[in-house]
Amino acid sequence: MMRRILLIEDEPRQIEIYEKAIGEAGFKIESLKWGKDGLERLEEIKSKKKKKPDLILLDLILPDINGIAILEKAKSDSQLKDIPFFILTNYSDPELEKIGKDLGVEKHIIKTDVTPSQLVKMIKNWFKKK
Amino acid sequence: MDFFTLYTILPFLSSILFLFFGTYVYLNNRKSIVNITFLFLCLATFWWQFSWFILFIIPNEALAKYLVKIGYVGIIFIPIFGFHFILSFLGRISKFDKYLLFSSYSTAIILEVVLLTTNYFINGFYKYFWGFYPRAGFLHPSYLLLLSVLVIRMLYLLFSSLKKKKIVAAIEYPQIKYILLGTIFYIFASVDFLVNYGVEFYPFGFLFILVFLGITTYAVIRHYLFGIKVLLTELSVGAMAILLLINTLVSTTYFDFFWKGIIFLLFLIFGYYLIKATHEESKRREEAEKIAIQEKFLRQRAEKLAKEFERLDRAKTQFVLATQHHLRTPLSIIKGYTSMILEGSYGKVEEKAKKALSGIQESIDRLIKLVNEFLDISQLQVGREILKKEETQIEKLIEEVVKELDPSAKEKGIYLKLEAVEKLPKMKLDRTKIKTAIFNVVDNGIKYTRKGGVIIKCQILNDKCQIIVKDTGIGLTKEEIKTLFTKFFERGKEAEKIYTTGRGIGLYIAKNIIETHQGKIWAESEGKSKGSTFYIELPLE
């Protein structure tokens, strides 16, 4: 069965790169550009309108809301709590990193630190370990 | 000694008390108009009471004829001085009050002339059982009219400012309250005027003015009226002196009067020195208090500044984080595309193009490193504690650095050696930061060495851990050593030939990291092309 990955990211070029790399690696990837779309998606998952993704890649700096808001909503809901999150951002605020950690984020990745294929490798390894 | 009977001693004492109190208030602050006008009020009151004392002891009518008017010389001015005092006490004198004050003084002077040159104001005297007393002339009621106007005005002003100050002035409010109360009592002393019109009773007005005096004294002690801080010693000495004086005055024989007077005078001298000594003591205490207050003020200021600094620092960090984020966004995209093209995600790439793409990739990574360091610089620069210290085996860190940099040394054909290190004690360090510092220093050594190589040594020296990085590279001039660890260091021409992008920023960061660990970093070199040695020293504790 194909793993489903949800990317919440606003930069179109970045989306293009990640969709290509992750999609070609054999995952089913879908992207949302706005924070509120992410929140809406969580609602839809709750009401079983949409399927639960196997992993969410979450950017922190979104045009409308802070990515942390999405994370908080998911982690405070018993039905959504088990969705794993990777934070994928270029914003390296240690405070935000700590908040993410406390909320149970699986990984905190700085985008410039990894190439798309390295990211794919990290995802694959993570699924393997799981 | 029949001067002092019950009837004469009371006006005498009250006159002395007013003289004493007015002078005391004045001496405490000679420049304050409030204290000066209060002194005048007291002097006029003293004059009034003292002249009554004189009048009451006069034995015959011939003397009374001359002296009967003297008391009124002072009495006329009492309501005006009182009004003047209250105006200056309340501050902010309106035009109307200025006019009223001026015309009152003018009227008083006219009345004085009338008093002293005619019998219209005071017309002879009554002889009562306790002594002589002035008889009111037909102009006397005009004085009572002036007095009434001033009294009404004073009461109005005091009441209205009491209402206003209730909310705003914590110190002034009780002061005004007591002044108002005192004034009301003083007004009751007007009962004495009835005696001028032939109503026969002993003029007990002094009882009211003594209450006025008591209230005022209380306000001085409790509410710093007239800006005076009374000391307990002063009060006790004053009270004792008054008792001794009364004791002297009621003497029945001249001998009694003499030795009691001597005791009284001796006590005055003793009291003077006692008060002087306590004044000095209290001055010292006040100074100490002042210093304490100043210190408190400074501490509060320092705290405020620290808070402000923290706020600015946070704002700066936010700014740096945001900037870093903006810079990284396009960088991560370029990095993503480049690596994917190189990996063949966009079709087959020719070898030549691959080489060029690798160049791009390298530059991007260098740029990314700079952007990452950018945040470190801005944080370390303010020297704030952002270190995440943990127990660290420093030789492990050095080994890791050597492992990471070995490929680049091999690529250049130089050696990178780590001399066998003795086992070092664990140290509390920020692992990542210290590793970056060592990395930067070793990396620098490799960059500027063409032949030979870099040797790393580690040793304990005087409770300090010393890391020595010795290269056989281009060396450093004395000038270069001076600016080596600054933000704006640029290597000379020789260095540019070898490593064109040398920015020296790595050493600047290393220095900041080492210094936030209370360590030291420096470089030594014999000169151009003679190699250089870098020292990092970290305290073991």
Side-chain angles (χ1 to χ4, degrees):
Chain A
M1 200 191 82
M2 249 188 176
R3 304 271 198 190
R4 312 165 62 89
I5 293 177
L6 180 64
L7 173 70
I8 304 178
E9 160 71 60
D10 62 311
E11 190 62 40
R13 295 283 182 190
Q14 195 77 70
I15 295 173
E16 187 194 316
I17 291 167
Y18 287 148
E19 279 189 344
K20 188 170 163 60
I22 296 168
E24 282 175 2
F27 295 101
K28 194 172 189 306
I29 180 155
E30 189 189 352
S31 308
L32 298 177
K33 275 192 178 177
W34 296 82
K36 61 174 175 24
D37 291 347
L39 291 174
E40 233 167 69
R41 173 60 60 95
L42 290 178
E43 283 300 325
E44 286 167 348
I45 294 169
K46 250 180 97 171
S47 57
K48 309 270 196 261
K49 271 187 212 155
K50 295 270 182 182
K51 275 193 177 171
K52 212 181 242 187
D54 296 299
L55 176 67
I56 293 181
L57 301 176
L58 177 66
D59 190 8
L60 290 184
I61 310 295
L62 295 165
D64 51 352
I65 57 163
N66 190 325
I68 293 288
I70 297 170
L71 186 64
E72 275 172 345
K73 185 180 162 71
K75 292 298 179 186
S76 63
D77 193 308
S78 57
Q79 280 174 269
L80 304 168
K81 190 155 76 172
D82 59 332
I83 303 173
F85 275 86
F86 279 14
I87 282 176
L88 192 56
T89 186
N90 271 328
Y91 191 74
S92 49
D93 184 344
E95 277 171 44
L96 283 187
E97 190 175 339
K98 194 181 174 298
I99 292 172
K101 228 181 203 174
D102 292 345
L103 285 170
V105 159
E106 304 296 331
K107 277 183 195 300
H108 187 102
I109 302 160
I110 301 292
K111 287 182 218 165
T112 51
D113 285 356
V114 294
T115 62
S117 48
Q118 281 168 335
L119 176 66
V120 167
K121 218 187 244 174
M122 285 168 93
I123 294 170
K124 278 184 174 166
N125 284 341
W126 185 80
F127 275 125
K128 238 187 251 170
K129 271 186 194 166
K130 216 181 128 194
Chain B
M1 291 315 299
D2 39 7
F3 282 177
F4 293 106
T5 61
L6 186 64
Y7 298 129
T8 55
I9 199 167
L10 293 172
F12 176 78
L13 274 180
S14 82
S15 75
I16 295 296
L17 282 176
F18 268 87
L19 183 65
F20 169 76
F21 191 62
T23 314
Y24 177 74
V25 167
Y26 168 70
L27 290 180
N28 260 282
N29 190 350
R30 293 171 208 217
K31 281 178 190 151
S32 159
I33 181 76
V34 182
N35 295 34
I36 293 169
T37 49
F38 187 76
L39 170 69
F40 274 93
L41 175 63
C42 287
L43 287 178
T45 312
F46 156 75
W47 186 283
W48 161 34
Q49 290 294 308
F50 196 75
S51 66
W52 264 208
F53 161 68
I54 299 286
L55 211 55
F56 297 170
I57 58 170
I58 288 173
N60 55 57
E61 295 189 7
L63 259 175
K65 224 187 218 170
Y66 291 107
L67 293 174
V68 76
K69 288 178 178 174
I70 284 181
Y72 263 90
V73 173
I75 293 171
I76 286 173
F77 278 106
I78 290 176
I80 298 146
F81 286 153
F83 180 56
H84 199 164
F85 159 64
I86 287 191
L87 286 183
S88 49
F89 172 71
L90 294 176
R92 274 212 199 158
I93 305 169
S94 70
K95 253 191 180 161
F96 170 76
D97 286 317
K98 263 185 201 164
Y99 175 75
L100 184 59
L101 187 66
F102 177 75
S103 43
S104 304
Y105 272 119
S106 315
T107 314
I109 289 166
I110 295 167
L111 285 176
E112 292 283 346
V113 175
V114 173
L115 169 75
L116 295 172
T117 56
T118 70
N119 287 332
Y120 301 148
F121 195 94
I122 294 298
N123 187 13
F125 51 81
Y126 292 108
K127 190 171 182 343
Y128 294 119
F129 62 90
W130 67 86
F132 297 101
Y133 206 80
R135 184 212 299 263
F138 79 95
L139 272 179
H140 191 272
S142 65
Y143 165 69
L144 294 183
L145 183 70
L146 171 69
L147 178 115
S148 313
V149 169
L150 292 178
V151 160
I152 290 166
R153 185 63 190 164
M154 272 186 260
L155 292 178
Y156 170 78
L157 287 173
L158 284 168
F159 266 117
S160 62
S161 73
L162 198 59
K163 254 190 203 162
K164 270 184 237 154
K165 295 264 160 101
K166 190 163 188 173
I167 322 148
V168 286
I171 299 172
E172 284 171 51
Y173 177 74
Q175 288 185 358
I176 297 171
K177 204 168 73 183
Y178 286 109
I179 290 280
L180 174 62
L181 197 65
T183 307
I184 290 170
F185 271 97
Y186 202 122
I187 292 163
F188 281 134
S190 306
V191 74
D192 281 8
F193 289 122
L194 288 174
V195 189
N196 293 117
Y197 290 86
V199 183
E200 185 167 0
F201 61 87
Y202 177 71
F204 55 91
F206 65 85
L207 288 178
F208 296 110
I209 62 170
L210 286 179
V211 175
F212 163 83
L213 202 63
I215 291 171
T216 320
T217 312
Y218 178 77
V220 166
I221 296 165
R222 278 297 305 273
H223 302 287
Y224 306 123
L225 184 65
F226 305 119
I228 298 172
K229 283 187 184 162
V230 192
L231 304 170
L232 200 64
T233 327
E234 286 177 308
L235 272 182
S236 326
V237 169
M240 191 66 198
I242 288 163
L243 280 177
L244 285 176
L245 182 63
I246 294 172
N247 189 35
T248 312
L249 296 181
V250 294
S251 309
T252 43
T253 64
Y254 280 106
F255 176 72
D256 217 22
F257 180 77
F258 178 75
W259 73 259
K260 279 181 182 168
I262 294 285
I263 290 177
F264 172 68
L265 287 176
L266 283 177
F267 180 78
L268 280 189
I269 295 165
F270 161 75
Y272 170 76
Y273 283 106
L274 187 67
I275 287 171
K276 206 176 147 189
T278 40
H279 258 291
E280 275 161 16
E281 170 63 27
S282 92
K283 215 185 250 170
R284 267 197 295 277
R285 209 174 35 233
E286 256 170 41
E287 258 158 38
E289 270 167 23
K290 227 183 250 168
I291 290 169
I293 288 168
Q294 247 166 2
E295 201 190 284
K296 197 178 157 198
F297 173 76
L298 284 176
R299 206 172 39 238
Q300 279 170 346
R301 229 183 122 68
E303 273 166 20
K304 216 170 156 191
L305 281 174
K307 255 185 212 153
E308 177 67 10
F309 174 76
E310 216 173 87
R311 192 185 65 78
L312 282 173
D313 186 39
R314 222 177 301 132
K316 190 214 64 183
T317 305
Q318 289 305 316
F319 171 75
V320 171
L321 283 173
T323 311
Q324 193 185 43
H325 175 254
H326 289 315
L327 288 171
R328 273 171 173 172
T329 302
L331 284 173
S332 63
I333 291 168
I334 302 173
K335 180 173 172 155
Y337 277 127
T338 317
S339 67
M340 284 171 78
I341 294 170
L342 264 170
E343 286 158 7
S345 295
Y346 290 93
K348 200 176 169 346
V349 187
E350 280 192 34
E351 278 311 305
K352 270 188 182 173
K354 261 191 183 173
K355 221 178 161 190
L357 281 170
S358 298
I360 295 176
Q361 200 171 34
E362 240 171 64
S363 307
I364 295 295
D365 282 337
R366 203 177 298 145
L367 205 48
I368 287 170
K369 194 163 173 264
L370 275 175
V371 171
N372 290 348
E373 286 169 349
F374 174 53
L375 184 72
D376 290 339
I377 293 170
S378 70
Q379 287 190 340
L380 286 168
Q381 217 174 344
V382 292
R384 65 175 202 181
E385 280 295 320
I386 47 153
L387 302 176
K388 291 179 201 155
K389 287 191 179 180
E390 51 189 322
E391 293 281 330
T392 309
Q393 206 74 53
I394 197 158
E395 61 269 26
K396 285 261 167 63
L397 288 187
I398 302 171
E399 276 163 20
E400 280 174 38
V401 169
V402 170
K403 217 176 179 181
E404 278 170 40
L405 280 170
D406 201 46
S408 57
K410 281 214 172 92
E411 207 173 284
K412 286 187 81 174
I414 60 173
Y415 59 80
L416 175 62
K417 278 194 265 183
L418 173 61
E419 281 197 2
V421 192
E422 50 181 309
K423 181 122 170 73
L424 296 171
K426 277 192 177 176
M427 293 164 72
K428 275 217 149 193
L429 303 167
D430 185 317
R431 272 187 62 93
T432 333
K433 293 245 151 54
I434 288 291
K435 190 177 158 186
T436 306
I438 299 170
F439 183 97
N440 286 355
V441 172
V442 178
D443 186 46
N444 182 77
I446 294 169
K447 270 178 195 166
Y448 297 104
T449 303
R450 264 182 295 194
K451 268 189 229 159
V454 181
I455 294 178
I456 307 164
K457 261 204 308 198
C458 194
Q459 61 188 34
I460 302 281
L461 205 77
N462 303 332
D463 287 343
K464 275 170 192 146
C465 171
Q466 204 176 55
I467 302 163
I468 303 160
V469 181
K470 191 174 166 63
D471 67 56
T472 57
I474 58 170
L476 292 159
T477 63
K478 274 184 184 158
E479 281 68 39
E480 281 177 333
I481 286 180
K482 267 186 220 158
T483 54
L484 192 55
F485 296 100
T486 63
K487 226 188 304 186
F488 308 107
F489 179 73
E490 294 280 347
R491 298 299 289 255
K493 287 243 163 68
E494 181 71 15
E496 272 171 32
K497 262 188 259 162
I498 297 181
Y499 194 82
T500 45
T501 49
R503 296 253 331 253
I505 206 158
L507 291 180
Y508 171 71
I509 290 166
K511 181 179 189 248
N512 273 305
I513 292 171
I514 299 302
E515 282 177 358
T516 24
H517 278 85
Q518 274 87 45
K520 256 166 71 182
I521 182 169
W522 72 96
E524 286 171 10
S525 175
E526 304 264 303
K528 280 269 169 217
S529 61
K530 283 181 178 159
S532 31
T533 311
F534 283 80
Y535 295 86
I536 294 175
E537 223 175 57
L538 289 165
L540 283 178
E541 263 312 300

